[in-house]
């Protein structure tokens, strides 16, 4: 039978455990030996007790747990070839040549690189007598499937990443609490939500929480936004609204690329409008707590599909990411998605740079 391993890498996200559970159970159901690699790429590099066989029972009762029971880490050693060489040896020692990587775009890029290097790593392991040529032949193909686990929903190729929906649930709970007290005191609240370079969480938050204003990295506000913002808030108050909510994505900038920060926006509103204004930075609360029903099902569907994709891989097939596309789980080429995700980030940076240049030209 086949052997496959699963690990979680980068920032954790609610729904990783449902995915891990589905991978273990689908793997066992299909007659595979399934392994956990603990602490992400670090466990792959360390080997030994970091790679342990999973059983049906080892994933009992984790469907409703947030985070990841097998741990996650950002690993420097795997970025260097000697680290990847050790990782390759550890996999062969365990008889594993099928892996599922659950992580963000950085983690999936690493997986793709590892797969490209595989043949070369094996050759070095044989040359240095760390691996027998029989084993090198037996495990000459490395099959990799990626699942995107991230609260940021910042990956091209999938409609939703695992964890984004749960993070929105956390944000909604927090804002619902804030609005009751804000209303009592007729206050304005400036809220920062996570998302790294992506405005998805902030945008959906603003829509769902009836916010008055939102700042997202994808659409920096026009110069003079300070006047527009204050005018908008003043109008709503004059129409009888008792509170204001301003949402800021953590990666938001103005059109010159300067970060837009809660404290500055708070000071602006307090000074100009004299509203009692407070700041709440929601922080890691957003990444915590149990996965939503959506993420439990999404993780389960993606995990199941990942195992099928591994079992159907051929020596010539390219690594895939399991994506959600219009409510279907589909397989999309990993490299294409990573490249597109990087290109979008680059295009945004270029756009900001050009806008800043234009502004300077005008002044
Ligand atoms: O990618 C998930 C995320 O929570 C981002 O939204 C945030 O920018 C980052 O991770 C925080 O990283 P850390 O947990 O290492 O502080």
């Amino acid at each position: 039978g086949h052997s496959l391993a699963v690990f979680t890498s980068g920032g954790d996200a609610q729904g990783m455990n449902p995915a891990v559970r589905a991978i273990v159970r689908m793997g066992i159901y299909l007659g595979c030996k399934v392994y956990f690699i603990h602490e992400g790429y670090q466990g792959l590099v360390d080997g030994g007790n970091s790679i342990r066989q999973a059983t049906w029972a080892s994933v009992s009762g984790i469907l409703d747990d947030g985070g990841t029971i097998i741990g996650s880490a950002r690993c420097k050693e795997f970025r260097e070839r000697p680290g990847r060489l050790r990782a390759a040896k550890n996999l062969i020692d365990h008889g594993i040549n099928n892996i599922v990587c659950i992580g963000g775009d950085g983690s999936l890029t690493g997986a793709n690189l590892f797969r490209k290097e595989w043949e070369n790593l094996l050759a070095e392991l044989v040359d240095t007598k760390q691996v027998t040529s029989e084993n090198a032949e037996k495990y000459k193909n490395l099959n990799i499937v990626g699942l995107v686990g991230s609260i940021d929903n910042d990956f091209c190729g999938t409609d939703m990443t695992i964890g984004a929906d749960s993070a929105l649930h956390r944000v909604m709970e927090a804002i619902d609490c804030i609005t009751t007290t804000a209303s009592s005191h007729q206050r304005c609240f400036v809220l920062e939500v996570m998302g790294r370079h992506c405005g998805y969480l902030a945008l959906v938050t603003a829509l769902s929480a009836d916010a008055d204003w939102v700042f997202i990295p994808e659409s920096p506000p026009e110069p003079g936004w300070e006047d527009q913002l204050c005018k908008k808030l003043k109008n709503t108050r004059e129409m009888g609204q008792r509170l204001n909510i301003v949402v800021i994505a953590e990666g938001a900038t103005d059109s010159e690329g300067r970060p837009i920060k809660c404290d500055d926006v708070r000071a602006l509103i307090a000074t100009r409008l004299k509203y009692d204004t407070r700041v709440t930075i929601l922080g890691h609360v957003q990444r915590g707590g149990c996965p939503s029903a959506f993420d439990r099902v999404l993780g389960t569907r993606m995990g199941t599909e990942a195992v099928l994709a591994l079992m159907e891989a051929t020596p010539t097939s390219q690594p895939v990411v399991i994506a959600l596309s219009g409510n279907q789980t589909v397989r999309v080429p990993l490299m294409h998605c990573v490249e597109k995700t990087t290109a979008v980030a680059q295009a945004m940076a270029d756009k900001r740079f050009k806008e800043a240049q234009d502004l300077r030209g005008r002044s």
Side-chain angles (χ1 to χ4, degrees), residues 135-266:
N135 269 350
E137 180 57 27
K138 193 165 166 203
Y139 301 115
K140 67 172 190 272
N141 298 311
L142 176 69
N143 301 313
I144 290 185
V145 172
L147 297 190
V148 200
S150 168
I151 63 164
D152 303 334
N153 202 25
D154 58 351
F155 195 78
C156 290
T158 184
D159 294 350
M160 283 295 267
T161 58
I162 298 170
D165 182 68
S166 304
L168 285 171
H169 277 273
R170 286 304 89 75
V171 175
M172 285 308 100
E173 286 157 11
I175 298 195
D176 289 348
C177 295
I178 283 170
T179 50
T180 58
T181 170
S183 176
S184 309
H185 294 275
Q186 300 193 55
R187 278 176 171 156
C188 174
F189 271 83
V190 182
L191 305 168
E192 183 186 289
V193 302
M194 278 186 168
R196 211 179 284 266
H197 306 299
C198 181
Y200 176 83
L201 288 180
L203 191 62
V204 178
T205 294
L207 289 169
S208 322
D210 195 10
D212 297 301
W213 198 274
V214 62
F215 294 98
I216 56 170
E218 291 84 350
S219 175
E222 301 269 312
W225 60 265
E226 292 88 345
D227 297 341
Q228 298 299 319
L229 169 65
C230 290
K231 200 167 140 204
K232 167 77 167 68
L233 298 184
K234 192 158 169 277
N235 279 346
T236 62
R237 290 288 177 112
E238 280 169 2
M239 287 190 285
Q241 188 172 300
R242 290 179 59 85
L243 77 163
N244 294 108
I245 301 285
V246 174
V247 176
I248 307 184
E250 65 173 336
T253 67
D254 68 12
S255 54
E256 291 207 60
R258 285 182 297 243
I260 293 178
K261 287 292 158 201
C262 287
D263 282 335
D264 299 335
V265 174
R266 188 206 65 78

Side-chain angles (χ1 to χ4, degrees), residues 49-66:
N49 201 29
S50 302
I51 304 179
R52 278 173 253 165
Q53 198 174 340
T55 65
W56 191 268
S58 46
V59 290
S60 289
I62 68 163
L63 188 61
D64 54 347
D65 286 341

Side-chain angles (χ1 to χ4, degrees), residues 2 14 89 104 106 228 235 279 310 317:
H2 294 281
Q14 310 96 327
K89 177 171 182 335
Q228 298 299 319
N235 279 346
V279 168
L310 283 176
S317 55

Side-chain angles (χ1 to χ4, degrees), residues 4-6 34-39 47-55 58 70 94 96:
L4 67 95
V6 55
V34 185
Y35 291 87
F36 289 141
I37 299 169
H38 292 262
E39 320 306 335
N49 201 29
S50 302
I51 304 179
R52 278 173 253 165
Q53 198 174 340
T55 65
S58 46
I70 51 178
H94 283 87
I96 301 165

